[in-house]
């Protein structure tokens, strides 16, 4: 039986609806180009680096995910295997209001390896089992349960020996020790070989030595041990292989329309990120992107979609990245994309289509996967930028307004969460 939704969950849904409505409305007092100009000014210089490769090529990044964020709460794994949560709902611990802005330990978990989050969270444990909590729409945690929100840690049945996890809004994706890729989600969407509501193996990845996966119910990205990146799914703009949008609308929601193909970039891929904009980091430190450009998501200086990988101009010697940001070997932090902030009369929105530098002398150890503006530094500290309205950044206090001012939107701030066990 489906549990009644509590008050805090209703507030979250209303908040998310409001965010969606606001983000689709044009700003009232300025044009987007004027907002962009006022956003950048002299304080945030546009990336203008020489096109130079790294002296030492990067290695493939297969580090387990230590930090995850949904739209309303976050989770982190410390180096002693403990699990910590903060934000609104999904905390796996009792609170008076369903909200806690301070990172605190979840009792009973001391063997955590990795976390991944979207509408739900996945937890990978040392024994290779995966546990989930949060939204259970589309059965992405437990397809045998009609409950749409699972409030406790629950083991995902039918999968073992897992080494990489990825939680998306509509699916859970798993990579096992032998390089096999599995998916759990809406059986009516993807793929046709998954004709039952259960864990399903994606056989097109067999014998490919896959070492990293990420994606959704409609798209899967995978990287093998040779640094070759492959994509499969419905939508041409996500796959990085098409010349134009011809036939795009007619192709939606057809199963397995586009088979598995290699993403063509000039060098070995060492990391990638799936999101509104899709990114591949090459071994020479160059960053390539494709996908949805409407919010500046591809960092290519345009708001148009890009269907084939193209090098991001002005950035070189990148050592860490996700779909929102990049860190170069000299310690500079660059960001891009769509940002909403408090205006005088209403909320305003700016699309930053070329990377701008917002921080220096910072070394990123790991970003939140995909579309997350949060990262862990090499010192173990967690940093974030943007709105903290649902306390998902773990600062110890609660933001009273939905959006912050223009300047605070772009200034990275430190969270209270640190991956070291003694902090």
């Amino acid at each position: 039986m489906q549990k009644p939704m509590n008050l805090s969950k209703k507030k979250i849904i209303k908040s998310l609806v409001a965010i969606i409505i606001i983000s689709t409305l044009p700003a009232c007092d300025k044009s987007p180009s004027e907002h962009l100009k006022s956003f950048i000014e002299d304080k945030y210089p546009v990336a203008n680096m020489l096109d130079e490769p790294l002296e030492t090529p990067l290695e493939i990044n297969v580090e387990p995910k230590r930090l995850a964020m949904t739209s309303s709460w976050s989770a982190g794994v410390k180096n002693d295997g403990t699990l910590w949560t903060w934000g609104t709902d999904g905390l796996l611990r009792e609170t008076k209001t369903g909200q806690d802005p301070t990172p605190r330990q979840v009792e009973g978990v001391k063997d955590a390896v990795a976390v991944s989050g979207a509408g739900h969270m996945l937890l990978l444990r040392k024994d290779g089992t995966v546990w989930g909590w949060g939204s259970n729409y589309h059965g992405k945690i437990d397809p045998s349960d009609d409950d749409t929100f699972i409030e406790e840690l629950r083991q995902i049945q039918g999968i073992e020996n897992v080494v990489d996890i990825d939680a998306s809004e509509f699916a859970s994706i798993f990579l096992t020790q032998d390089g096999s890729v599995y998916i759990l989600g809406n059986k009516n969407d993807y793929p046709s070989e998954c004709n039952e509501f259960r864990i399903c193996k994606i056989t097109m990845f067999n014998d490919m030595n896959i070492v990293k996966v990420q994606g959704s119910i409609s798209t899967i990205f995978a990287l093998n041990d040779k640094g070759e990146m492959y994509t499969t799914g419905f939508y041409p703009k996500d796959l990085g292989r098409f010349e134009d949008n011809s036939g795009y609308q007619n192709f939606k929601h057809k199963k397995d329309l586009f088979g598995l193909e290699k993403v063509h970039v000039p060098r070995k891929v060492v990391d990638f990120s799936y999101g509104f904009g899709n990114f591949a980091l090459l071994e020479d430190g160059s960053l390539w992107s494709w996908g949805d450009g409407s919010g500046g998501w591809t960092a290519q200086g345009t708001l148009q979609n890009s269907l084939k990988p193209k090098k991001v101009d002005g950035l070189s010697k990148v050592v860490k990245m996700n779909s929102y940001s990049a860190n170069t070997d000299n310690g500079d932090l660059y960001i891009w994309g769509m940002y909403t902030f408090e205006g005088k009369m209403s909320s305003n929105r700016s699309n930053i289509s070329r990377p701008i530098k917002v921080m220096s002398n910072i070394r990123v150890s790991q970003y939140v996967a995909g579309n997350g503006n949060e990262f862990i530094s090499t010192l173990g500290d967690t940093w974030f930028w943007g709105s903290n309205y649902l306390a998902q950044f773990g600062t110890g206090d609660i933001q009273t307004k939905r959006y912050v001012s223009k300047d605070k939107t772009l200034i990275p701030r430190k969270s209270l969460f640190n991956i070291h066990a003694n902090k």
Side-chain angles (χ1 to χ4, degrees), residues 401-419:
K401 293 183 178 180
R402 184 175 306 281
Y403 299 110
V404 296
S405 65
K406 179 173 58 180
D407 284 342
K408 287 186 178 180
T409 297
L410 293 182
I411 295 176
R413 288 163 282 166
K414 190 184 291 188
S415 169
L416 297 177
F417 180 70
N418 186 294
I419 65 170

Side-chain angles (χ1 to χ4, degrees), residues 135-149:
S135 172
N136 193 43
Y137 281 107
H138 306 285
K140 54 200 173 187
I141 296 173
D142 187 351
S144 67
D145 192 340
D146 292 333
D147 196 339
T148 57
F149 196 94

Side-chain angles (χ1 to χ4, degrees), residues 62-77:
V62 292
E63 183 182 3
K65 303 175 178 73
R66 305 286 292 276
L67 185 65
M69 182 170 63
T70 74
S71 60
S72 59
W73 85 89
S74 298
V77 172

Side-chain angles (χ1 to χ4, degrees), residues 285-306:
S286 62
L287 193 60
W288 294 65
S289 71
W290 65 97
D292 186 350
S294 62
W297 303 119
T298 61
Q300 292 182 5
T302 177
L303 301 183
Q304 302 299 314
N305 292 347
S306 178

Side-chain angles (χ1 to χ4, degrees), residues 265-401:
V265 287
R267 294 180 181 274
K268 176 180 173 181
V269 179
V270 297
D271 205 355
F272 64 88
S273 183
Y274 167 75
F276 295 111
N278 307 301
F279 290 81
L281 176 61
L282 307 194
E283 63 179 344
D284 65 349
S286 62
L287 193 60
W288 294 65
S289 71
W290 65 97
D292 186 350
S294 62
W297 303 119
T298 61
Q300 292 182 5
T302 177
L303 301 183
Q304 302 299 314
N305 292 347
S306 178
L307 298 184
K308 280 195 171 183
K310 179 182 177 183
K311 185 180 181 302
V312 176
D313 291 333
L315 277 183
S316 63
K317 297 186 177 181
V318 175
V319 291
K320 296 289 181 179
M321 47 67 71
N322 73 348
S323 290
Y324 275 175
S325 176
N327 186 219
T328 56
D329 72 335
N330 64 353
D332 290 339
L333 184 75
Y334 291 87
I335 68 172
W336 56 83
M338 182 188 296
Y339 290 90
T340 305
F341 55 91
E342 284 292 338
K344 292 182 179 179
M345 302 298 295
S346 63
S347 295
N348 294 325
R349 186 182 69 195
S350 284
N351 302 320
I352 302 174
S353 62
R354 292 188 63 194
I356 60 173
K357 184 170 72 173
V358 297
M359 197 175 187
S360 299
N361 302 315
I362 190 73
R363 306 287 176 176
V364 174
S365 172
Q366 185 178 99
Y367 278 102
V368 169
N371 292 311
N373 46 351
E374 198 170 15
F375 67 87
I376 302 170
S377 75
T378 53
L379 298 178
D381 296 317
T382 299
W383 293 78
F384 69 93
W385 63 96
S387 174
N388 187 34
Y389 184 63
L390 294 175
Q392 68 268 39
F393 291 128
T395 58
D397 54 10
I398 296 174
Q399 183 178 314
T400 56
K401 293 183 178 180

